[in-house]
Amino acid sequence: MNGIRDARSYDLDALRERVLPETSGSVTESIPQLADADPAQCGIAIVTVDGEVRRSREADAVFSIQSAVKPFVFALALQDTDRAALERVGIEPTGEAFDAIKLESGTGRPPNPMVNAGALLTSSIVEGRNSDERAERIAAGLSAFAGRRLHVDEDIASAEQRLGDRNRALAHLMRSEGTLRVDADDAIGVYGRACATIVDAEALAVMGATLASGGVNPCTGEHVVSREVARDVISVMATCGVYDGSGRWMREVGVPAKSSVSGAIVLSVPGALGAAVFSPPLDEQGTSVRGHRASAILSDDLSLHSFGVPR
Ligand code: GLU
């Protein structure tokens, strides 16, 4: 299997040292808590589908998961609706920024679950009779993906709610189209809490590995979502996970992944491994610069590229 044997002995500190000198990119200013991030931080982790965990220095540095939560919320929405969620959200790449005010033409659905409109929608259709229950379903589901209880940073959650004007616009637009069926503020609150979930690179890599092993957490053995759901999610990560940088990402890294504004990237290589890189400075598409670089090197070294022929 590509990657898995070499991943067990891969030197992630050496990889970290290689990408640390890269100082381009800038830390987001979307909310004060993210603007305060240390641009020098860099943590990397790999988790194989047989549960082997490897970490670099700072793989335990904590951050809010932000948009790297989107594949997992999509997975929970698919699981809870017996995959009927596929009728409520598109799966086509947009070629536009994460928060573009745009819905699928003709249907008024969000274009895909990896942009903000899509994640507002998917977080509104997980199991739960009200927003508190849906937020708790997401918290429990994310914890099962990570194999440990994850917590929400309340300051970040309230900043998301207070400063999320574009998300508010998207929620109201979907309400007007009839595609969002819960109250707009409820949708923003539940999605904002999901984004404010605190992880480290190791926890995020376990989450990626759970998708990569067909929905079974390789560290705890828990069946979190079905194999079909895991395949659906990884497919959409491959085509839409890096927003308007998805094409360049697929050529240069070739691994299904999801980027996030906090500087995290989660990767899922089906049947092989999950990985995560956290480093706050972002490029123009909102992808961690060191994360992109480290992922490209890792893909090359472990022959992970989906379309590469192993040497
Ligand atoms: N919480 C952020 C937002 O909704 C997430 C964006 C991202 O990570 O790309 O604006």
Side-chain angles (χ1 to χ4, degrees):
M1 178 50 64
N2 59 350
I4 188 162
R5 200 182 56 241
D6 296 340
R8 292 198 191 103
S9 56
Y10 194 78
D11 186 348
L12 288 178
D13 278 323
L15 174 61
R16 181 174 174 276
E17 292 298 321
R18 276 181 74 181
V19 300
L20 273 181
E22 175 64 71
T23 53
S24 63
S26 42
V27 175
T28 184
E29 293 185 354
S30 64
I31 58 170
Q33 292 85 346
L34 291 176
D36 278 349
D38 175 1
Q41 274 191 322
C42 183
I44 312 173
I46 300 178
V47 178
T48 64
V49 292
D50 51 9
E52 181 90 13
V53 180
R54 291 197 72 77
R55 337 167 169 75
S56 74
R57 286 185 58 204
E58 292 193 305
D60 58 352
V62 295
F63 52 89
S64 58
I65 188 168
Q66 298 295 334
S67 284
V69 83
K70 288 168 175 165
F72 305 101
V73 173
F74 180 38
L76 297 172
L78 289 169
Q79 185 70 21
D80 289 356
T81 60
D82 212 5
R83 291 164 92 206
L86 288 168
E87 286 152 31
R88 303 275 309 271
V89 57
I91 53 166
E92 299 304 334
T94 63
E96 296 197 50
F98 66 100
D99 57 355
I101 308 291
K102 198 168 174 196
L103 301 177
E104 195 176 64
S105 64
T107 68
R109 302 185 307 176
N112 70 63
M114 303 296 145
V115 293
N116 284 15
L120 284 159
L121 195 290
T122 54
S123 53
S124 79
I125 59 176
V126 299
E127 185 83 39
R129 285 164 300 184
N130 54 46
S131 57
D132 286 346
E133 286 188 13
R134 286 190 289 275
E136 179 44 37
R137 162 63 180 142
I138 291 173
L142 298 177
S143 300
F145 269 111
R148 60 167 116 141
R149 181 69 199 183
L150 301 175
H151 296 282
V152 170
D153 182 310
E154 296 297 337
D155 285 345
I156 295 179
S158 70
E160 298 283 344
Q161 178 107 12
R162 207 172 57 251
L163 302 171
D165 289 325
R166 293 184 73 82
N167 290 339
R168 188 159 285 107
L170 282 166
H172 283 289
L173 195 58
M174 289 190 286
R175 289 278 308 165
S176 77
E177 293 284 347
T179 48
L180 181 68
R181 298 183 194 153
V182 304
D183 182 77
D185 279 325
D186 281 3
I188 296 156
V190 175
Y191 167 64
R193 291 187 73 75
C195 289
T197 304
I198 299 299
V199 290
D200 57 23
E202 182 180 336
L204 193 54
V206 176
M207 295 172 81
T210 300
L211 288 177
S213 63
V216 180
N217 184 315
C219 299
T220 64
E222 182 174 351
H223 286 251
V224 183
V225 293
S226 71
R227 291 173 80 82
E228 293 76 18
V229 164
R231 195 183 70 174
D232 285 341
V233 173
I234 293 178
S235 306
V236 180
M237 287 166 79
T239 49
C240 308
V242 190
Y243 306 129
D244 45 339
S246 296
R248 182 166 79 94
W249 176 274
M250 191 44 75
R251 188 186 74 77
E252 293 177 4
V253 182
V255 170
K258 182 73 205 79
S259 59
S260 114
V261 77
S262 55
I265 301 181
V266 57
L267 298 89
S268 282
V269 186
L273 55 85
V277 187
F278 165 64
S279 191
L282 308 176
D283 68 15
E284 275 167 15
Q285 279 81 37
T287 310
S288 165
V289 175
R290 290 195 195 97
H292 189 129
R293 183 91 191 98
S295 300
I297 297 171
L298 193 66
S299 171
D300 213 31
D301 288 350
L302 299 182
S303 301
L304 301 177
H305 199 296
S306 304
F307 307 109
V309 179
R311 274 186 265 280

